[in-house]
Amino acid sequence: EKATSRLALESEQARSEKLLLNILPSPIAERLKREERTIADGYADVCVLFADLVNFTKLSEEMSPNQIVSLLNQIFSAFDQLADKHGLEKIKTIGDAYMVAGGLNYRIDHDYVIATMEMAKDMHAAVAQLTPSGREPLALRVGIATGPAVAGVIGTKKFIYDLWGDTVNLASRVTDKAGAGSVLVDTQTYRCMNSLYEFEGPLVLDVRGKGEVNAYRLLRRRSGVAAIGPARELN
């Protein structure tokens, strides 16, 4: 009987551990288990990506609640797999928008800005393949910004790991200005990636709360550039 109770307890602990790791990055989960009261970290350099589904609200008006949730689940599950593939950290979903960041869990030899750029391209391809039959093709608009941010856990119920700061706000605003099927990046990301990718721009955007901001539209990887480029230099 004791052995059965012990096995049941271990099974419940494993289930709780798996659930926690589905909500939080592993290092953060470990800190929570050590009962750290406040978890907040400043990062000098992270890469933040927002992706919005274009015209999803209009599409959802033609679908049942089950169809809407099923489609979003398929799309965001595909994005989750891409985040794992590229070594990035999913932050959250907000309605029909998805937020992911690089630089929070990176290895020394892993360039997370390149990974974020490649994920953006893969996200566009994934959405195109998941359009429901007989409906107008789904499209994404993506915005990327690179710079400092603060990360931490907030709340005691339904807590989340989130990011704050000007870099996060800029990525969100740039996304708002991106057209369907495009990827817009801020100046810092452009400076990091201009040797590896071709861009259009600068495009001058009127960004709420910041005034005029330069942004650059991603076109393609430069010919002759390997799948993973050299370590970048920040200006």
Side-chain angles (χ1 to χ4, degrees):
E1 186 174 329
K2 288 183 178 180
T4 301
S5 297
R6 181 173 56 80
L7 288 173
L9 179 60
E10 289 176 353
S11 176
E12 180 62 25
Q13 288 175 335
R15 190 181 73 85
S16 297
E17 176 85 3
K18 183 178 180 181
L19 181 61
L20 190 62
L21 291 176
N22 275 334
I23 299 172
L24 300 170
S26 178
I28 302 300
E30 289 298 323
R31 290 166 65 181
L32 269 184
K33 288 192 293 183
R34 294 196 299 267
E35 299 186 352
E36 287 191 34
R37 291 187 177 274
T38 301
I39 294 180
D41 299 303
Y43 292 87
D45 182 39
V46 297
C47 190
V48 180
L49 178 155
F50 280 95
D52 278 339
L53 287 164
V54 179
N55 293 329
F56 187 80
T57 301
K58 180 180 177 182
L59 176 63
S60 65
E61 292 172 354
E62 306 167 1
M63 302 171 69
S64 70
N66 283 345
Q67 289 175 320
I68 294 169
V69 173
S70 177
L71 179 58
L72 279 177
N73 184 56
Q74 288 182 62
I75 293 170
F76 288 161
S77 293
F79 291 173
D80 289 348
Q81 292 176 4
L82 290 175
D84 287 342
K85 170 186 172 183
H86 291 292
L88 303 176
E89 193 68 56
K90 173 188 177 180
I91 303 301
K92 60 186 174 183
T93 60
I94 314 159
D96 57 5
Y98 189 95
M99 179 182 177
V100 67
L104 303 173
N105 61 346
Y106 67 95
R107 305 186 305 270
I108 296 301
D109 63 340
H110 184 74
D111 194 317
Y112 49 86
V113 181
I114 295 177
T116 306
M117 301 286 284
E118 291 299 310
M119 177 161 176
K121 291 163 55 181
D122 287 350
M123 291 170 87
H124 281 300
V127 165
Q129 294 175 357
L130 290 170
T131 298
S133 177
R135 299 191 183 274
E136 185 177 344
L138 285 170
L140 276 182
R141 56 185 179 194
V142 176
I144 298 173
T146 303
V150 173
V153 177
I154 56 173
T156 55
K157 294 182 178 180
K158 298 182 180 179
F159 51 78
I160 63 168
Y161 181 69
D162 209 349
L163 288 181
W164 302 272
D166 191 56
T167 302
V168 177
N169 295 335
L170 183 55
S172 177
R173 301 291 183 263
V174 169
T175 306
D176 292 341
K177 302 294 183 178
S182 71
V183 179
L184 279 186
V185 308
D186 73 329
T187 299
Q188 181 74 328
T189 307
Y190 168 78
R191 288 173 178 168
C192 295
M193 295 286 100
N194 188 38
S195 64
L196 303 179
Y197 297 89
E198 295 180 18
F199 293 89
E200 176 190 357
L203 313 172
V204 181
L205 308 180
D206 184 11
V207 175
R208 179 166 54 90
K210 291 188 70 67
E212 289 190 347
V213 170
N214 285 345
Y216 301 79
R217 180 172 289 111
L218 173 65
L219 298 178
R220 64 188 67 86
R221 180 178 283 275
R222 292 190 182 278
S223 60
V225 174
I228 296 295
R232 63 202 173 88
E233 295 181 1
L234 288 174
N235 296 324

